[in-house]
Each structure stands twice: as C-alpha cells, then as structure tokens.
C-alpha cells in the first residue's frame, strides 16, 4: 500500500519528476499465444486433378495466426512431410530472436522429416498484416498462411473502423509435385512452366476447368458498409495486379505499416508484399468480380494468362447471376505500378527516417549469363547481387557466426560492384564489363547502430525486371526510386513521409533507395522473393554485430535448434 499512497501524496501536492527516455526492455510479451503446426501432405482436388500437396494442419492456405501487438508467440512446428522444412514469419522484425526467423541455412538448418522445432518471438511495436511461409525448397507454393496482429487494446486504427475484414491471399498453383518441379528446373537450367492457375485463398475461380462452382472464393456484402481487405501475395514467381469491378481501393497499410490513405482502381503486389485496403460497398446490388492477373516486366517471360476471379457479392444479388468483370491493367503496364508506388506515403514516419547515413551499400541485382551448376546444363541460370551468386552453406550462417566457425561463409561481400557502367542498357558479357558472376557464401558485416542506406540497382544483362527484394529482420524506409541508373546528384529522395516496408519492388530498369538503422543483431537474409531467382543466387546476408549489453546482444541458440 505504501508505494501507492506515496504516489497519491506526490500527485496531491503537485510534485513531479523529470521525464527520462524509456529504458530498453527485453522483448517479453504480456500475453503468450500457443499454436501447433503440423507440416504434412494433403490430397486436394483442383483443376480436374487429384494431387498431394504439402500443407500445414491439412489446410490450404494454412491456419491464420492471430495476435495483438506486444504478444509473445510460441509455435511448435512438427514436420510430418517427406521433405525438409522451415517456417519464416514474413515481416516480423524478430527483435533479439534471430534464431527463429526461419530461412533455411541462414538462421537455422531445416526441420527434417519426423522432427520438430518451436519458434518463439514477440511482436515488438508491430501490428498489421503479415504472413508465414515455408523457407526451404519451393514448398512456399502451398505452405503459407496469414499472420494478423491487432493493435493493443484501446488503440484505434488511424482510419474508419470497418464493418468487416477479410484476408485475401494471392497464390500460384501447380498440378505437379512442386519439389520435383524445382529439381527439374534447377537441373535443366530453364525456367519453370507457368503455374496452372492463380488462386485467391486457394481457389482458382470460375475461369479455370473444374472450378466453376465449389472452387470459388466469395465475400458477402451489406450495401453501404466499408470492408477492410488484407491482401497478401504468397505467389512463388509472379507479381500480380488486383482489382474489384466498379469499386475503389483505399490503401491504408503497406507491409504491416500504416500509410496515408491513397485511393486507386487497382494495386500491384509482388511476392512477399501485403496491403490493407478499404472498400466501400457503394455500388448497385449485383455480383462483382475480384480479379488477379499477372504483371510481367521481364522480356520473353512465360506466364499464366488466365485471371483468377472471386466474387464480391451484395446481399440481394441473384446468386447465379453473371459477375461484372474487373478491369486489370495490361500485363506490362509499368505506369500502373509506378502510380500506386507514388501514392504510398508513410503515416507519421518523418521523425524516424535516418537523415544522416553512416554506410551505403550499392547492390546491383539481376540475372547473369553463367552456365548452371548442373553437370549437363541446357541453359544459363544464375542471378546475383554485385555479380556474386549466393550459395547456401551446409550449416546455417547464423550458427557458424555465433560459434566462430568461418569455414561456411566469408565476411567479404563487396559494398559496391567492382565496376560501374550503364547497368540498365550497356551490360554486355565481354570486356571490360564482364558480367559473369562469382559463386560464394559471402556476407556483409555491419556494426551495431549503423545508419544504413542501400541502393538497389536493376541490371539488363539478360533482361531488366521488377524484382521484389525482401530484407529479413528489419523494415526500411523507401526514400527513393526511379528509372535508369541511380545518380546521387539527381535522385529525388523523400525524407519526410516515405513508406516503411520490408519488401520493395525495384522498378524494371531502375533503382530504389532504402534506409534503416542496424539495431537488431543477427544474420539477416536479403533476397529476391521470386523463388526461381533465389534458387539462382540473387541474395546475400547481412551480419549485424552485437552492441553493448545483453539488450543489444544476440542470445544463445534454443536447445531444440535443428542440426544439419
């Protein structure tokens, strides 16, 4: 009672104390939520075929993980499938919990068949739309699900509270075994065949064979109400446009960070990106189409050209009526992509954007013309950052770094390419601009607390392309982007209200500039979220060193960390 009485007396007599900055605290959640994941094969009937796919808890998409900002999540993952597996919690910053980030051979070895691993992490100052997915092989094609984190109790959204909210997961579906497909593609050096279908929440929709009735997703609407759609692109190798017939989309969140409201007719999401949009049911009573189709920025790329459709259906509409079609942009409409990106502005980000920079990395990204590592390659298949094609080791980089074993990686990834030239238009594979890539598990070491700027530069050696680049362990401020080669003298940077994201589509034939403070120790993967490009080596790892004290130091590994 005494401390409470003393506090009351101090307030009564008007005695106050100076405010001090809040001390750092260990990220321990106030509420703990438990989930049990079982990775297993499941037989599904789609597109006139019966196939076995890998799922979590026999669900496709997998179970939704719900939490509140500040919660601690404990998720036991048991691998009952015949394949190695890991789970990555996409967009979660994993403050002092790098061991649980999930990318295979980067922060952990895979969970082998019959084994289990428990992921434990806290949602520190994060809320919004995230998702989880497999991060080994191409299992991500079917092993994925939403992770929805609500604000703390009593904290409202910075936009009108919706009548309902719905999760919309965009995906790609192959009728063949995805692991076998990956092995064939890597061995041949070619590109994978287009997906047999795009999906919305696992449903191909009525445009595909054997999908007219049961395999269509639908949202039932009350006229006049506002709905929050949580859009997630879990696709493997394709970026997608999304639109709803005759309805506007108001973006209020990107990559689990609030944005200033921006209204548009359509959006584009690359694999790994999420958007929250508000949609008002303000049209005449009818059935409307929600549609996704491809955005293809690379030259001569193969793609599935049949759109996936779901129904946005008003109460009172005739169930059997034809749906009004959604209008999607042309498959290579770069302007439509840029228009949406131009509209993304961060909400209250001004004070946190690093104005001064301690270190700059200049990363060229793209495809190379090397022969494959296959004994009998049929085509060229390599991708790189700064002309280095990343090779995953046989022991995780994090474990090797923590134990002081440098036999499995080297800390010599270059901060810039060896040569500068016209990356977009003048990249012949001949002297003096030799674009052959070197292979290696080369990492970049960064001191704790460094204010980092990364310039991501697309290259045209094989083809220019919009690459969705994802950084683990951090969100970053997208302070600039543009076409052509990056020029620091002319680049227009936004240090006032840039969006705060974790996956950025580097414009086709262009560049993007991102900034963040390296204040989370560990090993953090940065890679293209096209799984084909990741398999070809378009990646590297950033090693952020420990700071001072246990609140800036990577903790010891968990006891059940999988062994290689």
């Amino acid at each position: 009672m005494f401390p409470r009485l003393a506090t009351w007396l101090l307030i009564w007599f008007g005695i106050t104390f100076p405010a001090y900055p809040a001390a750092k605290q260990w990220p321990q959640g106030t509420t703990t939520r438990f989930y049990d994941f079982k990775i297993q094969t499941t037989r599904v009937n789609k597109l006139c075929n019966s196939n076995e796919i890998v799922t979590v808890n026999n669900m496709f998409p997998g179970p939704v993980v719900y939490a509140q900002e500040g919660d601690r999540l404990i998720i036991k993952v048991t691998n009952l499938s015949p394949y190695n597996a890991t789970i990555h919690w996409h967009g979660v910053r994993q403050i002092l919990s790098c061991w649980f980030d999930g990318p295979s051979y980067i922060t952990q070895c895979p969970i082998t068949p019959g084994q289990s691993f428990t992921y434990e992490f806290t949602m520190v100052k994060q809320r919004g739309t995230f998702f989880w997915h497999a991060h080994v092989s191409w299992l991500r094609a079917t092993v994925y699900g939403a992770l929805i984190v609500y604000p703390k109790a009593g904290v409202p959204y910075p936009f009108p509270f919706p009548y309902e909210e719905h999760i919309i997961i965009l995906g790609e579906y192959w009728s063949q075994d995805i692991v076998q497909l990956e092995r064939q593609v890597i061995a041949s050096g070619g590109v994978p065949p287009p997906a047999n279908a795009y999906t919305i929440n696992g449903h191909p929709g009525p445009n595909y064979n054997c999908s007219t009735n049961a395999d269509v997703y639908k949202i039932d609407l009350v006229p006049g109400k506002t709905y929050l759609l949580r859009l997630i692109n879990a696709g493997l190798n394709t970026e997608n446009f999304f639109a709803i017939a005759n309805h506007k989309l108001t973006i209020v969140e990107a990559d689990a960070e609030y944005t200033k409201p921006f209204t548009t007719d359509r959006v584009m999401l690359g694999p790994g990106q999420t958007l929250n949009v508000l949609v008002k049911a303000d049209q005449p009573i009818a059935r409307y189409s929600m549609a996704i189709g491809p955005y293809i920025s690379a030259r001569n790329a193969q793609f599935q050209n049949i759109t996936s459709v779901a129904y946005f259906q008003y109460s009172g509409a005739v169930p059997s009526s034809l749906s009004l079609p959604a209008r999607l942009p042309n498959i290579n409409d770069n302007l439509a992509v840029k228009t949406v990106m131009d509209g993304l502005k961060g909400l209250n980000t001004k004070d946190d954007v690093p104005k001064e920079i301690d270190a700059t990395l200049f990363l060229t990204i793209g495809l190379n013309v090397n022969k494959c590592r296959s004994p009998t390659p049929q085509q060229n298949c390599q991708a790189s950052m700064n002309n280095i094609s990343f090779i995953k080791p046989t022991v995780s980089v994090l474990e090797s770094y923590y134990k002081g074993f440098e036999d499995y990686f080297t800390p010599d990834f270059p901060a810039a390419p060896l040569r500068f030239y016209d990356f977009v238009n003048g990249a012949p594979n001949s002297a003096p601009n030799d674009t052959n890539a070197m292979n290696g598990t080369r990492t970049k070491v960064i001191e704790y607390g460094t204010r980092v700027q990364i310039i991501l530069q697309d290259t045209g050696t094989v083809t220019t392309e919009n690459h969705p680049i994802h950084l683990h362990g951090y969100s970053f401020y997208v302070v600039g982007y543009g076409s052509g080669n990056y020029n620091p003298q002319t680049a227009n940077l936004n240090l006032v209200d840039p969006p705060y994201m974790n996956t950025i589509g580097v414009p086709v034939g262009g560049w993007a500039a991102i900034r963040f403070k390296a204040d989370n120790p560990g090993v953090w993967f940065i890679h293209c979220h096209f799984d084909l490009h990741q398999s070809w080596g378009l990646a590297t790892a950033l090693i952020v060193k420990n700071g001072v004290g246990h609140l800036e130091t990577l903790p010891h590994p968990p006891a059940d960390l999988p062994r290689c």
Side-chain angles (χ1 to χ4, degrees), residues 244-249 265 279-283 288 312 314:
I244 303 177
N246 297 8
H247 288 75
K248 299 287 187 180
L249 312 175
D265 293 322
V279 184
K280 188 169 184 180
D282 57 1
Q283 296 299 305
Y288 298 84
F312 204 60
Y314 282 70

Side-chain angles (χ1 to χ4, degrees), residues 45-47 200-206 208-218 309 311:
N45 295 308
K46 286 190 184 300
L47 308 176
I200 297 176
N201 289 347
H203 300 282
Y208 293 94
N209 291 336
C210 304
S211 304
T212 303
N213 297 315
D215 226 348
V216 185
Y217 182 72
K218 178 169 68 80
V309 167
Y311 295 139

Side-chain angles (χ1 to χ4, degrees), residues 241-258:
F241 288 113
F242 173 87
I244 303 177
N246 297 8
H247 288 75
K248 299 287 187 180
L249 312 175
T250 298
I251 301 171
V252 292
E253 179 187 297
D255 284 0
E257 294 292 340
Y258 294 136

Side-chain angles (χ1 to χ4, degrees), residues 72 116 172 176 197 207 223 290 298 399 489 531:
R72 185 162 186 78
S116 64
E172 295 175 271
Q176 63 194 106
N207 290 343
M290 294 187 288
E399 189 172 359
Q489 305 302 318
D531 274 28

Side-chain angles (χ1 to χ4, degrees), residues 106-145:
I106 304 299
T107 62
Q108 70 168 94
C109 296
I111 308 168
T112 55
Q115 302 299 310
S116 64
F117 178 51
T118 300
Y119 293 87
E120 300 184 31
F121 53 89
T122 301
M123 300 304 304
V124 180
K125 296 181 180 178
Q126 286 191 277
R127 72 280 162 281
T129 300
F130 306 83
F131 73 115
W132 55 264
H133 59 78
H135 213 304
V136 61
S137 183
W138 289 4
L139 290 182
R140 187 169 69 79
T142 55
V143 180
Y144 60 77

Side-chain angles (χ1 to χ4, degrees), residues 37 39 55-57 59 61-65 75 87-90 130-134 140 142-147 232 234:
F37 277 18
I39 301 175
T55 65
V56 169
N57 298 355
M59 299 171 64
V64 180
V65 174
I75 304 157
I87 299 293
H88 169 55
W89 315 95
H90 189 106
F130 306 83
F131 73 115
W132 55 264
H133 59 78
R140 187 169 69 79
T142 55
V143 180
Y144 60 77
L147 167 56
I232 299 168

